[in-house]
Amino acid sequence: MPTRFYAKDHNKRINLAMITATIAHWSQARKGDHSPYIFHPIAVLELVKKHSDLQPEERKKADIAALLHDVLEDTWLPAFIIRIVFGKETLADIYFLSKDKQLSGDKQFTEHLGRLLAAPKHVRCVKLADVLNNLDNLPEEWFMNGNIDVRMQKAEKISANLNEASSQLANLITEKVVVIKLEMAKCSI
């Protein structure tokens, strides 16, 4: 008889994380296709589920981190709510996944990547899945204003540096970047 991954207690935590993320991102839409923002954290969860080799306990942590990965960085939800509802460990995971808004540009990216390198494996898998999903939903204006080259470089750097967490996710990022660059080259001919 196969073992069930999703036990009742974990299902409750996933549902609570999904409700929390939905409320926190309530009025937000994706920059690329303008779909409801909650589609992004759900897609990140699915990518981790499908393309990482995390052990069950790590996967459970990754499920919650995937759903909540943008709430501190991009919403009004305060950190203490995450701590009270989901605990210190989940809050630490979300901090690893959040950029420091006090910094900008290369400093922000370098600092964030440094923290990610020190993060647990399940957090690094969530970040790889986040980058991969973001590559599927690029805003048109990034292509117009040249921002796309910087985004591709950052995606490649994250993929290369976090590769050991999930080579499958890292390889998918690399493949996606190549496809985007080829499409850009075709358009410029």
Side-chain angles (χ1 to χ4, degrees):
M1 184 166 184
T3 17
R4 290 183 358 192
F5 178 79
Y6 292 103
K8 191 182 253 185
D9 287 346
H10 187 57
N11 284 349
K12 288 178 185 175
R13 280 181 58 83
I14 287 175
N15 288 335
L16 186 56
M18 197 170 309
I19 290 166
T20 303
T22 300
I23 292 169
H25 294 292
W26 189 259
S27 63
Q28 296 174 336
R30 297 295 311 270
K31 290 176 186 167
D33 65 6
H34 305 286
S35 61
Y37 196 87
I38 191 62
F39 291 3
H40 170 61
I42 293 168
V44 170
L45 181 148
E46 289 297 323
L47 286 167
V48 170
K49 187 169 112 177
K50 186 175 181 181
H51 298 293
S52 74
D53 62 349
L54 294 174
Q55 297 301 309
E57 286 309 306
E58 291 177 298
R59 256 289 305 292
K60 289 176 182 176
K61 294 174 189 176
D63 288 347
I64 305 305
L67 290 169
L68 299 174
H69 77 274
D70 279 336
V71 295
L72 292 181
E73 184 178 313
D74 295 337
T75 77
W76 52 269
L77 194 71
F80 78 89
I81 298 291
I82 300 296
R83 186 174 193 268
I84 290 168
V85 176
F86 296 99
K88 290 188 294 190
E89 191 174 351
T90 297
L91 179 59
D93 291 349
I94 306 311
Y95 273 131
F96 277 122
L97 292 160
S98 300
K99 295 180 195 98
D100 184 344
K101 294 286 189 171
Q102 305 295 326
L103 302 174
S104 61
D106 288 340
K107 283 184 180 180
Q108 183 186 61
F109 179 77
T110 302
E111 187 278 336
H112 189 218
L113 184 57
R115 274 189 293 120
L116 286 166
L117 289 169
K121 180 179 179 178
H122 69 275
V123 171
R124 295 189 313 263
C125 286
V126 170
K127 184 58 184 179
L128 287 166
D130 177 35
V131 170
L132 180 59
N133 185 250
N134 283 336
L135 290 173
D136 280 333
N137 197 353
L138 299 169
E140 258 184 63
E141 59 267 16
W142 289 0
F143 292 93
M144 305 303 181
N145 65 17
N147 235 352
I148 194 68
D149 294 327
V150 172
R151 298 291 176 158
M152 294 299 105
Q153 289 171 358
K154 288 179 179 181
E156 289 174 313
K157 203 170 209 174
I158 288 169
S159 174
N161 281 278
L162 303 184
N163 182 324
E164 91 299 333
S166 172
S167 59
Q168 192 175 7
L169 283 166
N171 290 339
L172 288 169
I173 290 169
T174 303
E175 290 170 14
K176 188 69 174 175
V177 167
V178 168
V179 168
I180 292 168
K181 286 180 176 181
L182 287 172
E183 289 174 3
M184 288 171 36
K186 265 191 337 192
C187 291
S188 66
I189 294 176

